[in-house]
Amino acid sequence: MPETDDLSLLIDAAQDAGKIAARYFHGFADRWDKPGGQGPVTEADLAVDQMLREELTAARPGYGWLSEETEDGAERLSAEHVFIVDPIDGTRSFIEGSTTWAHSLAIARKGRVEAAVVYLPLRDKLYAAARGFGATLNHQPLEVSKRTELEGATVLAAKPNFVPSRWINATVPPISRKFRSSLAYRLSLVGEGRFDAMMTLHPTWEWDVAAGSLIVEEAGGAVSDRTRQPPRFNNPVPQLSGMVAGGAIIHDALLTRLA
């Protein structure tokens, strides 16, 4: 896949982030809970965030900045391009010693993601995509699952998504639910074709899904919020109405069955 300048920038930054995070892994990072029940954060999250903010905005001073670990501001809303970053997606996994956390980096232009990287340093997995150029895993091209039957499909999602009330006639479709804590990794695995779809039905922060959404799209998949709207990024409140992603047929079948 030809690499745009912006994608090359994100790849280099993600690899630098992996080196920093690895130094804090296996219990060496202090952690605390964010206010308002927003989950845990660690020294590693903040160290990676600081490095990425300094490195990326220095390279692209005209781009806006949106990150889970940086206080948000209105300046990004007037920028044509904006970085959308989750320094460590899957912080709970990081704390627990799992290796399924990821660095999620994206650049959106006028609301659409144009370049994206999801990097799992301890698994040596670097997913990358640039709009119009396809998606790759460690430089090998990706393609979503071609499954056409919803019954028996593998769907990455948390348990609350399968409460019967979320589905038409309170009937959960006969699918196989799987789970990974990082939304960025879930999307990347769908782009890789290892799972048929992913979904999250609650309001979803942009930094969790911006990069992964482009990886699915460029691997030939379909991505929308739970109301079938294509995702638009850099919103004043940086949230989407959930996300459903997968091969086109399974994506449509899931949305059709949702209440």
Side-chain angles (χ1 to χ4, degrees):
M1 177 182 69
E3 291 181 2
T4 67
D5 289 344
D6 277 351
L7 181 57
S8 296
L9 175 67
L10 294 184
I11 289 172
D12 290 345
Q15 291 173 330
D16 289 344
K19 295 172 185 175
I20 293 173
R23 296 202 296 264
Y24 289 95
F25 196 55
H26 292 310
F28 294 108
D30 287 342
R31 59 148 292 180
W32 56 96
D33 290 322
K34 298 179 186 178
Q38 297 184 57
V41 65
T42 73
E43 287 182 285
D45 295 84
L46 301 186
V48 170
D49 183 70
Q50 180 178 348
M51 181 280 294
L52 290 174
R53 187 169 69 253
E54 292 174 355
E55 183 173 318
L56 293 174
T57 59
R60 301 288 188 273
Y63 287 19
W65 180 261
L66 174 64
S67 167
E68 180 175 12
E69 307 304 345
T70 302
E71 184 176 356
D72 195 13
E75 296 84 2
R76 63 179 172 81
L77 298 176
S78 60
E80 181 174 339
H81 294 81
V82 60
F83 292 107
I84 304 177
V85 170
D86 193 341
I88 297 180
D89 187 38
T91 297
R92 286 186 177 87
S93 293
F94 181 90
I95 292 167
E96 293 165 0
S98 170
T99 59
T100 58
W101 49 274
H103 306 297
S104 179
L105 287 65
I107 293 173
R109 178 178 179 270
K110 296 182 178 179
R112 290 208 316 169
V113 177
E114 298 290 332
V117 170
V118 174
Y119 180 44
L120 285 76
L122 297 186
R123 295 199 165 200
D124 191 29
K125 300 182 78 170
L126 194 149
Y127 299 89
R131 187 168 295 280
F133 291 102
T136 61
L137 168 59
N138 296 344
H139 304 292
Q140 299 302 309
L142 296 182
E143 186 175 23
V144 297
S145 164
K146 297 299 184 183
R147 187 179 185 88
T148 59
E149 297 293 331
L150 184 59
E151 182 174 355
T154 56
V155 179
L156 287 160
K159 285 182 181 180
N161 294 286
F162 290 88
V163 174
S165 61
R166 292 188 179 274
W167 301 88
I168 290 176
N169 298 324
T171 302
V172 180
I175 59 183
S176 175
R177 186 188 73 86
K178 305 295 182 181
F179 183 73
R180 300 292 187 276
S181 63
S182 164
L183 284 169
Y185 189 31
R186 290 184 215 174
L187 284 158
S188 300
L189 287 167
V190 171
E192 191 179 347
R194 288 180 55 191
F195 296 88
D196 299 310
M198 66 77 66
M199 64 182 207
T200 179
L201 302 180
H202 58 76
T204 303
W205 294 109
E206 291 185 15
W207 48 72
D208 288 327
V209 295
S213 68
L214 183 64
I215 289 166
V216 174
E217 289 180 14
E218 287 297 316
V223 180
S224 72
D225 69 14
R226 59 175 299 168
T227 69
R228 293 185 182 269
Q229 296 302 307
R232 300 293 293 182
F233 296 92
N234 197 28
N235 298 293
V237 177
Q239 283 188 320
L240 306 177
S241 181
M243 181 161 283
V244 180
I249 293 175
I250 299 300
H251 172 265
D252 180 70
L254 285 169
L255 289 168
T256 299
R257 296 288 292 272
L258 285 172

